[in-house]
Amino acid sequence: MGKLKLFPSDVIFSKYIRTRDNWTCQRCGTKYVPPTSALHCSHFWSRGNWSVRFDEDNCEALCYGCHSYLGGNPTEHHQHKLSRLGQEKFDELQKRRNTPLKSGEKKYLLSNDFRKTIKEKMKEVENG
């Protein structure tokens, strides 16, 4: 499968997740100084799953090495995500993943209004 198109919403959401996670890999604990391309916004279920593409529970900051490793080891990736979320939150995330977007939701996720909301959340995280 080819690479999915990155939209402006993906870029700001990725920065938000990495900021939320204090620019630290959530698997190995390595801390990075922004900006850097060495720390990724990793999606448990890929960005192709629009119902969880911008879901905070679906995403976490992972360094290139951990992202690559978990991406090639689905059983360990599943265990990692389950241990981070707990069974109840993991099950809720899976339900959201299996729920199609409602009419107009994808358009909103690509809108300036959505990006503004994410930028506001990022400011809250940055300001503690």
Side-chain angles (χ1 to χ4, degrees), residues 29-64:
T30 302
K31 176 123 173 92
Y32 292 84
V33 176
T36 180
S37 60
L39 190 68
H40 301 174
C41 172
S42 172
H43 291 71
F44 179 68
W45 279 294
S46 79
R47 287 184 291 114
N49 294 283
W50 278 89
S51 57
V52 291
R53 185 175 184 136
F54 300 104
D55 190 310
E56 293 180 45
D57 288 337
N58 188 46
C59 299
E60 65 184 323
L62 292 177
C63 68
Y64 174 81

Side-chain angles (χ1 to χ4, degrees), residues 1 10 16 24 30 34 55-56 59 74-75 93 113 115:
M1 184 160 116
D10 292 305
Y16 165 67
T24 303
T30 302
D55 190 310
E56 293 180 45
C59 299
T75 301
L93 175 62
D113 287 341
R115 289 191 297 280

Side-chain angles (χ1 to χ4, degrees), residues 73-91:
N73 294 281
T75 301
E76 284 194 48
H77 198 184
H78 182 272
Q79 283 304 113
H80 170 77
K81 184 53 82 173
L82 184 59
S83 70
R84 302 247 326 136
L85 292 178
Q87 190 67 58
E88 186 175 340
K89 281 186 90 173
F90 183 88
D91 291 346

Side-chain angles (χ1 to χ4, degrees), residues 101-126:
L101 291 179
K102 295 179 181 143
S103 176
E105 283 184 310
K106 184 175 177 181
K107 185 177 180 181
Y108 169 72
L109 293 172
L110 298 176
S111 73
N112 287 330
D113 287 341
F114 176 73
R115 289 191 297 280
K116 183 179 174 186
T117 299
I118 296 301
K119 287 176 185 177
E120 288 168 1
K121 289 178 89 164
M122 189 162 22
K123 282 181 189 174
E124 289 174 16
V125 168
E126 289 171 333

